[in-house]
Amino acid sequence: MNRRWAARLAAPAAFLAGVTVAVVLVRAGFSSGDEPATTAVAVTTAPTTTAKKPKPKPAVFATVESGDTLDQIALDNNTTVERILELNPGLDPTGLQVGQKVRVR
């Protein structure tokens, strides 16, 4: 049973040993002899730009026609009744009038 565990652990142990040697060599800079190892680090900076604020999308309004309901206006404009009510504080969903402008976006 101990041989099975030894066989299972041999490959990962060899892999980790190889990785460790590689890391040590990279950190040492593959130097040989008495010269100190030097490491070059490339530093890049992103160009400085002035952040532009995205332009706000223009408001979109729907005009209430005879027989319109808030549900129908929402469906016609790919939005929800809740969103229309957020955009139109004080709007009475049961008191819509023909010709009234309702913001939908």
Side-chain angles (χ1 to χ4, degrees):
M1 182 123 175
N2 288 337
R3 288 185 183 179
R4 285 186 194 169
W5 282 106
R8 286 186 179 180
L9 294 177
F15 173 77
L16 290 175
V19 169
T20 303
V21 169
V23 168
V24 169
L25 288 174
V26 168
R27 286 194 175 174
F30 297 105
S31 67
S32 62
D34 294 334
E35 358 178 303
T38 58
T39 305
V41 177
V43 177
T44 59
T45 57
T48 306
T49 58
T50 305
K52 295 182 181 179
K53 293 182 182 178
K55 294 180 182 177
K57 294 180 182 177
V60 177
F61 291 88
T63 304
V64 177
E65 297 176 3
S66 179
D68 276 351
T69 63
L70 222 47
D71 289 328
Q72 189 59 47
I73 293 170
L75 284 173
D76 291 344
N77 291 282
N78 297 323
T79 189
T80 63
V81 172
E82 290 78 14
R83 182 66 181 144
I84 292 174
L85 291 173
E86 287 174 11
L87 294 171
N88 300 278
L91 178 68
D92 179 12
T94 60
L96 296 177
Q97 298 176 0
V98 174
Q100 181 179 0
K101 300 279 186 186
V102 177
R103 184 173 176 189
V104 293
R105 280 189 228 120

